[in-house]
Amino acid sequence: MQKQVLDKVVAITGAGSGIGKAIAIELARYGAKVVVGSRTEAALIEVVEQIKQAGGEAVHVVTNVKNKEDLLRLVNTAVDTYGRLDVMVNNAGVAHISPIDELDLNEWEEMIDSNLKGVLYGMAAAIPIFKQQLSGHIINIISTSGLKIVPTQGVYAATKNAVRTLTEAFRQESDGTIRITGISPGYVKTNLVNTVKDEAKRQQVIQAMEQLGLPPVAVANAVIYAVSQPAHVEVGDIVIRPAKQN
């Protein structure tokens, strides 16, 4: 598997912490060259330093996925630094939990802008490069929240199911030159829960994460599996969750 990942150039959004950070570190450990993006530069610098201290290659670009220009800068940095882009990992996202009838439009808009439009902007930035290269791989990090609909997660799940739909649509539209994979994690121990404003709901999710949550490296391993397949093999959909998760 390491041979197939060696020297691949991978751009990753939301890479300052959690799943994105784990993806960056593990890919670099396997010999990939990673370009990490997130909104917090201090966190990105720490990730890059950790990778370099372990003998890997990485650069960072401050990236807010709500801004299409930031995504263009991320992928262009990959090409300018390493000569190409092999994989685009659209990982950044936010989660707000509340009943729909609370009508928190600001939270809805933030999730739509980050979870859906941010993925579209990432795809739009990478696809022209992949077309020019005649190769490329898009990885969209989705969620099991869209597979099992539960109260208080309606809008969050809706954004994730929208990404699931566009991922499958692109797969069908592609001639195989550009591969695409959707990965849906279940409970993972990350700081995504910090965006939940309601204290009681946040504590409930934290408790579930502590009891069930997978380490972020489990999702990173799923990414590595998908990108390490031969060029004629496309892994379309991966669901990865704790064995005890309902």
Side-chain angles (χ1 to χ4, degrees):
M1 189 177 293
Q2 183 167 0
K3 182 179 179 181
Q4 288 86 347
V5 175
L6 184 66
D7 291 330
K8 282 186 180 291
V9 179
V10 185
I12 308 160
T13 66
S17 63
I19 291 172
K21 178 179 179 179
I23 292 170
I25 289 171
E26 288 302 299
L27 281 169
R29 190 167 68 86
Y30 275 79
K33 301 175 175 67
V34 298
V35 183
V36 293
S38 83
R39 292 176 296 179
T40 308
E41 186 166 29
L44 290 175
I45 291 172
E46 287 186 15
V47 173
V48 169
E49 284 303 311
Q50 185 173 343
I51 288 170
K52 288 183 175 180
Q53 287 175 8
E57 293 189 54
V59 295
H60 78 275
V61 180
V62 176
T63 307
N64 184 339
V65 297
K66 296 179 183 180
N67 300 325
K68 58 178 72 74
E69 293 82 9
D70 284 8
L71 275 305
L72 289 169
R73 187 161 53 251
L74 182 72
V75 300
N76 288 337
T77 297
V79 175
D80 292 344
T81 305
Y82 299 117
R84 59 184 295 109
L85 176 69
D86 297 300
V87 184
M88 179 69 193
V89 181
N90 294 303
N91 165 73
V94 296
H96 295 299
I97 297 175
S98 64
I100 294 170
D101 65 6
E102 286 188 0
L103 305 179
D104 196 328
L105 273 65
N106 290 332
E107 290 187 349
W108 296 356
E109 290 176 356
E110 185 177 12
M111 286 188 284
I112 291 167
D113 288 345
S114 297
N115 300 354
L116 176 54
K117 291 171 68 176
V119 171
L120 284 167
Y121 291 160
M123 292 175 64
I127 286 170
I129 295 171
F130 292 161
K131 282 186 173 181
Q132 186 176 18
Q133 295 174 167
L134 299 179
S135 67
H137 195 159
I138 298 166
I139 304 282
N140 290 335
I141 305 299
I142 311 177
S143 174
T144 58
S145 289
L147 298 174
K148 180 181 179 181
I149 308 303
V150 298
T152 73
Q153 295 183 21
V155 178
Y156 175 70
T159 63
K160 292 300 185 177
N161 273 338
V163 173
R164 184 171 285 108
T165 297
L166 71 90
T167 300
E168 173 59 15
F170 184 86
R171 185 194 69 78
Q172 294 185 27
E173 293 168 0
S174 176
D175 63 0
T177 300
I178 305 174
R179 296 183 291 174
I180 190 164
T181 301
I183 298 179
S184 295
Y187 280 114
V188 179
K189 293 179 180 178
T190 72
N191 62 4
L192 184 65
V193 69
N194 291 344
T195 61
V196 178
K197 296 177 182 178
D198 184 277
E199 180 63 25
K201 295 185 181 75
R202 183 165 62 251
Q203 290 305 318
Q204 185 179 8
V205 177
I206 289 173
Q207 184 177 10
M209 282 185 176
E210 290 302 318
Q211 292 176 347
L212 296 174
L214 296 172
V217 70
V219 183
N221 288 335
V223 172
I224 290 169
Y225 172 76
V227 303
S228 67
Q229 299 306 305
H232 67 284
V233 176
E234 179 180 66
V235 178
D237 191 32
I238 298 176
V239 178
I240 178 167
R241 57 190 162 206
K244 292 183 179 181
Q245 182 177 332
N246 293 329

